[in-house]
Amino acid sequence: MVQKRLLGLLFCAMSFAQHVPRPAPAWNPLLECKGKTTLLAFVVTTCSHCKAFTRDVMEPMHKRGDVCAVAVAFDEDGDTARFVHDQGLTFTVFKLERAKVREFLGITGPDRVIGTPQVVVIDKHGTIQAQSAPQGSPLLNQPDVIQQIVESVK
């Protein structure tokens, strides 16, 4: 019961902060995920939380086969190939400039701080159902919380 209440509060907080649900922008890297629940993370390749999230949460979900995992590195000097290799990732990871990441996430204004990882859950119909707040959402780094969200939007 406590987990359901926590999940409900999490959805409410994310909805108000990020205007969800809303259609996900049409991105070529997300075409491989069409028709599948998608776990998308915007990461910085030197961020310890990003490394742990991609390795410990995203990779196992990707290997299950029913969730499409995609990570987007947006640090200017980051070594994406090394990040993928060091974390043992087998899902799509690509690099994108910060301005495009902010646009996708709907972050406007002069605030340049983006907490990482930024986590987005997209349902099989292409609608963003959950998204981190701009300063980050530590609960969305938790495997059990992500699992509950993913299961609830399938």
Side-chain angles (χ1 to χ4, degrees):
M1 185 61 141
V2 172
Q3 282 184 331
K4 285 184 181 179
R5 244 186 252 151
L6 180 63
L7 185 59
L9 290 173
L10 180 63
F11 269 129
C12 287
M14 288 184 300
S15 295
F16 289 118
Q18 301 309 106
H19 309 293
V20 294
R22 71 175 191 278
W27 274 13
N28 284 341
L30 294 180
L31 289 178
E32 71 182 78
C33 301
K34 191 171 183 166
K36 281 189 169 183
T37 300
T38 302
L39 180 58
L40 175 63
F42 294 91
V43 302
V44 172
T45 59
T46 56
C47 164
S48 61
H49 297 292
C50 299
K51 291 175 182 180
F53 185 78
T54 55
R55 179 188 61 241
D56 301 338
V57 179
M58 295 184 76
E59 183 66 21
M61 292 188 105
H62 167 72
K63 286 184 175 177
R64 283 189 351 202
D66 62 336
V67 174
C68 184
V70 177
V72 179
F74 66 96
D75 45 338
E76 290 178 20
D77 299 325
D79 186 342
T80 305
R82 182 174 180 171
F83 178 81
V84 169
H85 177 267
D86 290 353
Q87 304 319 308
L89 306 178
T90 60
F91 58 86
T92 300
V93 179
F94 67 97
K95 195 165 185 134
L96 194 65
E97 61 189 54
R98 182 178 290 263
K100 298 255 189 227
V101 169
R102 290 174 58 87
E103 182 181 324
F104 183 98
L105 294 171
I107 298 173
T108 59
D111 182 19
R112 299 196 57 82
V113 176
I114 299 177
T116 55
Q118 282 287 306
V119 180
V120 177
V121 179
I122 304 169
D123 69 20
K124 64 183 179 181
H125 304 292
T127 302
I128 296 174
Q129 295 291 342
Q131 180 179 326
S132 299
Q135 40 303 44
S137 300
L139 278 176
L140 284 181
N141 293 351
Q142 303 300 317
D144 58 332
V145 173
I146 288 294
Q147 182 65 40
Q148 287 178 16
I149 293 171
V150 165
E151 291 301 322
S152 73
V153 302
K154 278 187 171 178

